[in-house]
Amino acid sequence: MVRYADDIVFCFQFEDDARKFYKALQERLAKFGLELSEEKSKIIKFGRFAGKEAGKFDFLGFTVVTGKSKNGNYTVKCHTSEKKLKSKRNKARNWIRENMHTPIGMLIGKLNLKLRVHYNYYGLSHNYKKMFGFYRYVRYELFKALKRRSNDSKMNWDKFDKIMVHQPLLTPKITVPLW
């Protein structure tokens, strides 16, 4: 059992054990007038022996999938869930637009704080591609905002790159190597 607040994942070796537990859990919750959400509760095949039938599930902002490591061994991979990534992108874009008239140094400094929080939470093994995609998105949105705030639109990629040399955005890194 893996639990955090109201999110729980139960793992079983055999499918019939999982089905018995699921039924018993529904009966136990019914005694207290509670019920499981049918959209969020499911039994999936997962693990080393699930093969091509292996499912995936979202847990705490991550999509958990099975995969192979660089040397071909079985591993569990955690990627940023698409739902959370979309939400984070929208928040970042809106924040940059709301603060685009802040001086560049302060704007990038505050943005780096937000990026650091994102990288520390989502910086798990096998998640670098998703984090780098988020970094590229934020960088592009920052460029658009700086271009928009200039009345004569003199901002171009060369000028933006020079700004990035002096005030760089934090690049993603794996902060929690799981395996």
Side-chain angles (χ1 to χ4, degrees), residues 12-169:
F12 297 89
Q13 184 173 2
F14 302 107
E15 186 176 349
D16 59 331
D17 291 342
R19 297 208 180 277
K20 288 177 189 173
F21 176 80
Y22 188 73
K23 185 178 179 192
L25 182 63
Q26 286 178 319
E27 292 169 0
R28 178 73 174 154
L29 289 174
K31 287 183 181 179
F32 299 102
L34 302 170
E35 59 185 38
L36 292 171
S37 169
E38 294 297 324
E39 306 94 43
K40 295 182 179 181
S41 304
K42 59 187 171 184
I43 296 175
I44 62 169
K45 290 186 177 187
F46 192 85
R48 180 185 320 268
F49 304 111
K52 300 221 184 258
E53 298 176 12
K56 60 182 178 180
F57 61 93
D58 286 352
F59 185 63
L60 302 177
F62 292 96
T63 299
V64 183
V65 297
T66 60
K68 292 191 177 189
S69 65
K70 288 180 181 178
N71 47 353
N73 296 329
Y74 166 81
T75 188
V76 175
K77 297 181 177 185
C78 299
H79 302 290
T80 308
S81 76
E82 290 299 323
K83 181 180 171 184
K84 289 293 182 180
L85 188 58
K86 185 177 180 180
S87 170
K88 289 281 191 175
R89 285 179 171 182
N90 286 335
K91 285 181 182 178
R93 183 184 67 238
N94 292 336
W95 187 87
I96 290 170
R97 284 183 181 175
E98 290 169 4
N99 294 283
M100 76 172 157
H101 294 293
T102 306
I104 294 175
M106 288 179 60
L107 177 67
I108 293 175
K110 290 178 182 179
L111 194 54
N112 279 338
L113 291 175
K114 293 178 178 301
L115 287 172
R116 181 175 288 121
V117 170
H118 181 82
Y119 299 157
N120 284 341
Y121 186 79
Y122 290 102
L124 300 180
S125 302
H126 306 292
N127 197 28
Y128 186 81
K129 283 184 181 179
K130 293 278 188 169
M131 289 184 359
F132 190 74
F134 182 72
Y135 163 79
R136 288 184 53 195
Y137 178 82
V138 168
R139 182 179 156 95
Y140 179 70
E141 288 297 323
L142 179 61
F143 170 75
K144 283 188 351 185
L146 294 179
K147 186 173 178 74
R148 175 175 280 168
R149 84 182 201 172
S150 173
N151 288 338
D152 53 3
S153 296
K154 289 186 179 178
M155 179 61 68
N156 57 31
W157 281 105
D158 291 333
K159 194 170 184 181
F160 183 74
D161 287 339
K162 288 177 183 174
I163 292 171
M164 290 292 106
V165 167
H166 297 289
Q167 296 286 329
L169 282 177

